[in-house]
Amino acid sequence: DLVLANQEENRRLDVERLRAAGVPVWVTDVRTLDQALGSLRRMFAEALGWPVPDWLEAARQAWEPPPPSPPIAAVIPIWRDPWLVIGSDTFAGDLATRLGLANVYRDQPRYPKVELADLLARRPELIVLPDEPYPFGPDDGPEMFPDHRVALADGRSLTWYGPSLVTARSTLAAQLAAHP
């Protein structure tokens, strides 16, 4: 009845082909938490004609408290070999700010390719390694930053918007706090 697509994750050609075949496609272009919640609300109410689920309000409330201060200078790699990091104007970057992180690459494009030396030269206080899209884990990633605080993070909580937003803040806050 309806195909859900994301501008960042799905090719325009595929969306156009689906639409040409008469298949309705709902395309999101989400770069902030507020955009995510608004898009989901419209998708349920307008595109699907369903009641707006209660979890949307619960997600909004979960992210309502202000971030802790002062912010912690952080970098969030999302790929390795080459190193790609969260830059500006991204959903994950907005969530990171709301978690009290100051992205050291906020002056760069959305997902810049960086050299490890540049990453370290920006003097992050915390390296956040999510388990997606690259599957960073205890044995793959932290060894590159022996003199830094490293927090392994749930990638779904950091990069997905949907029902996971209800618990994402508490999940991520706990993971960041576990690495003082």
Side-chain angles (χ1 to χ4, degrees):
D1 294 332
L2 179 67
V3 172
L4 306 178
N6 177 270
Q7 178 272 333
E8 194 169 78
E9 299 287 334
N10 301 105
R11 300 182 318 165
R12 176 184 291 266
L13 177 63
D14 296 328
V15 170
E16 290 170 352
R17 286 178 176 163
L18 286 166
R19 288 180 172 156
V23 177
V25 182
W26 182 269
V27 179
T28 62
D29 182 13
V30 170
R31 296 168 188 235
T32 68
L33 174 66
D34 294 336
Q35 287 176 338
L37 296 174
S39 181
L40 288 164
R41 183 175 303 284
R42 286 188 311 278
M43 182 192 70
F44 283 107
E46 297 170 21
L48 296 170
W50 295 352
V52 174
D54 293 340
W55 62 259
L56 265 173
E57 178 58 20
R60 186 192 65 74
Q61 289 177 9
W63 287 92
E64 199 170 73
S69 61
I72 298 167
V75 62
I76 307 170
I78 56 167
W79 203 259
R80 170 179 190 164
D81 197 21
W83 288 96
L84 298 176
V85 299
I86 297 291
S88 64
D89 198 27
T90 65
F91 176 74
D94 185 49
L95 292 191
T97 299
R98 292 168 186 262
L99 289 164
L101 303 179
N103 182 356
V104 299
Y105 281 97
R106 66 186 169 275
D107 63 336
Q108 295 295 304
R110 292 172 55 80
Y111 304 105
K113 178 180 171 182
V114 302
E115 296 297 325
L116 190 57
D118 179 65
L119 187 155
L120 297 172
R122 288 181 179 246
R123 300 185 184 275
E125 298 170 66
L126 179 66
I127 315 289
V128 180
L129 299 177
D131 60 8
E132 66 174 73
Y134 184 89
F136 287 109
D139 300 321
D140 189 356
E143 78 286 353
M144 298 303 295
F145 309 102
D147 300 323
H148 289 79
R149 286 176 42 206
V150 175
L152 297 174
D154 176 43
R156 178 181 176 142
S157 293
L158 186 63
T159 62
W160 290 24
Y161 47 92
S164 61
L165 285 172
V166 175
T167 57
R169 185 178 192 154
S170 60
T171 296
L172 293 166
Q175 291 169 335
L176 298 177
H179 301 280

